[in-house]
Amino acid sequence: ASGDASEITLLVPVRKSNEPSISMLAYAPGNEDGFALITLSPPAMEGRVTPRDVTLVLDVSGSMSGVKIRQARDAGKQVLATLGPNDRFRLIDFSSDVRTFRDEFVRATRENIAAGSRYLESLDASGSTNISGALDAALDGNSPSGRLGLVLFVTDGEPTVGERIPDAIATRVARLRRDR
């Protein structure tokens, strides 16, 4: 089959497991830059749901204009829709600067999720790509014991502001995680 589709949605059933898992689906057509879908699954716990602290970090730099920013907004809304009443969330968006929906985690109430969705809808793509600043903001603070802290990072680009060397960014993130 041939075609020029700009996006595709693939739904894969995942069985519940008592073990955590990570899976990755990578795609790189020809000599083009590729992308990956990474799925993290916490262990299933019968009768008990671990409350989550979800930090969603969205790249809103100029390279994200058009369909990419729409897809990022929609992905953010889908993440918010998965939150339960015991979960909390933060929204961080970045281009040249780093901005947040609120200064701290907020409870996933109906009102906060609606406000978060409106915030996501207001995001526009412009500026450079400050990945290191966004990661610093995302890793600032800890989830209390008994909560599952998750950071979801959505970007299409390479860093153009702040630290620009990917290995140096990865080393800094590893050090920040170790020090917490």
Side-chain angles (χ1 to χ4, degrees):
S2 65
D4 236 358
S6 62
E7 64 180 274
I8 185 169
T9 301
L10 176 65
L11 301 176
V12 179
V14 178
R15 79 176 168 83
K16 288 187 176 183
S17 170
N18 290 331
E19 298 296 321
S21 67
I22 300 174
S23 62
M24 183 178 88
L25 176 63
Y27 178 70
N31 291 330
E32 298 176 31
D33 290 340
F35 58 90
L37 169 65
I38 301 172
T39 304
L40 307 170
S41 301
M45 298 177 172
E46 290 300 320
R48 184 170 160 244
V49 177
T50 302
R52 298 173 294 169
D53 284 350
V54 177
T55 301
L56 178 63
V57 187
L58 296 177
D59 180 351
V60 295
S61 64
S63 65
M64 291 288 291
S65 64
V67 69
K68 291 180 187 178
I69 192 69
R70 287 192 300 276
Q71 289 173 337
R73 286 187 204 122
D74 290 345
K77 290 177 193 174
Q78 288 178 8
V79 167
L80 292 179
T82 70
L83 300 177
N86 294 322
D87 295 329
R88 303 185 309 170
F89 70 94
R90 291 189 303 168
L91 302 175
I92 298 172
D93 59 287
F94 71 97
S95 55
S96 303
D97 298 316
V98 178
R99 293 163 299 277
T100 59
F101 165 63
R102 300 281 191 266
D103 291 336
E104 298 180 356
F105 282 105
V106 296
R107 294 203 48 218
T109 64
R110 187 176 326 165
E111 295 79 15
N112 285 339
I113 289 173
S117 292
R118 286 190 300 273
Y119 180 83
L120 290 170
E121 197 56 44
S122 74
L123 296 177
D124 257 339
S126 66
S128 299
T129 311
N130 187 357
I131 289 177
S132 61
L135 284 169
D136 286 350
L139 297 174
D140 184 26
N142 285 327
S143 291
S145 179
R147 298 189 71 83
L148 178 62
L150 299 169
V151 175
L152 307 173
F153 199 91
V154 178
T155 183
D156 74 333
E158 295 181 16
T160 59
V161 173
E163 179 58 65
R164 293 182 182 109
I165 301 169
D167 288 343
I169 293 171
T171 299
R172 178 173 171 74
V173 167
R175 188 177 66 250
L176 286 170
R177 290 187 63 226
R178 184 178 57 246
D179 292 346
R180 300 212 185 279

